[in-house]
Amino acid sequence: MKKRWIALYVENQVGVLAKVSGLFAGKSYNLASLTVGTTEDETVSRMTVCAMCDDATFEQIKKQLNTMVEVIKVMDLTNVPIHMKEILFVKIRGLNERDISYLFKIANVFNVDVTDIGTDSLLLECKQTEKKNDELIELVRSKYHDIEVVRGGAVAVESISTQTR
């Protein structure tokens, strides 16, 4: 079992997300992440899907997605050079001035933004890789206990500089 990445171009219509996620639920496939957004063409959306599965199951997922009428294109990104980012918010509460100063240093090192601050709390906004976000969460959890983590799914695009033509 490993993480597998798929990008889908789908018709931007009501119910398409439900059909795609329903395919995963109906077959008991584990969705690790699913992100959807419109593309440069407002009639088309792009989904970035991460599934935890073995090779045979992954092949089955791709085949089933390709049979859906609303799916325009299925791309396997698992072994393709890509640029990927995930959005993450980390809210830390119960802080003193020293803690806030320390968290500003962490934000600087991790290249994340402090997007909100209160008298005893701080909100970090991160647009990093999943691994970097995991490392940040681990560091913050090791020192602070009153935290809230909100994670969005990853988005990915194929690399331009490493593509063969």
Side-chain angles (χ1 to χ4, degrees):
M1 300 278 278
K2 73 175 196 176
K3 284 188 177 179
R4 316 296 177 120
W5 294 93
I6 303 171
L8 304 172
Y9 284 99
V10 298
E11 294 174 5
N12 187 8
Q13 298 177 352
V14 173
V16 174
L17 173 60
K19 285 183 180 181
V20 171
S21 61
L23 171 94
F24 282 83
K27 300 290 184 178
S28 296
Y29 299 146
N30 185 21
L31 264 177
S33 173
L34 186 139
T35 306
V36 185
T38 57
T39 65
E40 64 283 354
D41 179 349
E42 291 182 14
T43 66
V44 176
S45 290
R46 180 171 166 138
M47 295 184 177
T48 304
V49 180
C50 179
M52 290 291 293
C53 57
D54 58 32
D55 291 338
T57 302
F58 190 58
E59 289 304 315
Q60 189 65 30
I61 290 170
K62 290 189 295 185
K63 285 178 187 174
Q64 290 172 341
L65 288 169
N66 270 310
T67 65
M68 295 178 72
V69 173
E70 299 85 359
V71 174
I72 299 164
K73 186 176 182 180
V74 177
M75 297 178 302
D76 180 353
L77 301 179
T78 304
N79 297 310
V80 175
I82 58 174
H83 296 276
M84 183 178 299
K85 297 289 182 189
E86 171 189 77
I87 190 159
L88 165 75
F89 289 101
V90 181
K91 187 185 297 181
I92 309 108
R93 295 182 209 84
L95 304 173
N96 58 40
E97 284 185 33
R98 189 171 162 209
D99 292 328
I100 291 172
S101 177
Y102 176 71
L103 286 164
F104 266 90
K105 290 176 185 174
I106 288 175
N108 186 47
V109 168
F110 276 82
N111 195 28
V112 301
D113 297 321
V114 176
T115 57
D116 201 3
I117 188 168
T119 56
D120 68 343
S121 58
L122 195 75
L123 180 64
L124 301 177
E125 178 182 338
C126 320
K127 295 172 284 285
Q128 300 286 346
T129 63
E130 181 182 20
K131 183 176 184 228
K132 284 292 270 186
N133 283 344
D134 288 343
E135 291 169 359
L136 177 63
I137 292 168
E138 185 178 332
L139 178 62
V140 171
R141 276 194 179 135
S142 72
K143 188 157 173 66
Y144 304 100
H145 302 291
D146 191 359
I147 70 167
E148 180 181 346
V149 173
V150 178
R151 266 183 131 142
V155 292
V157 66
E158 305 82 1
S159 177
I160 296 170
S161 60
T162 57
Q163 287 181 345
T164 56
R165 298 192 191 260

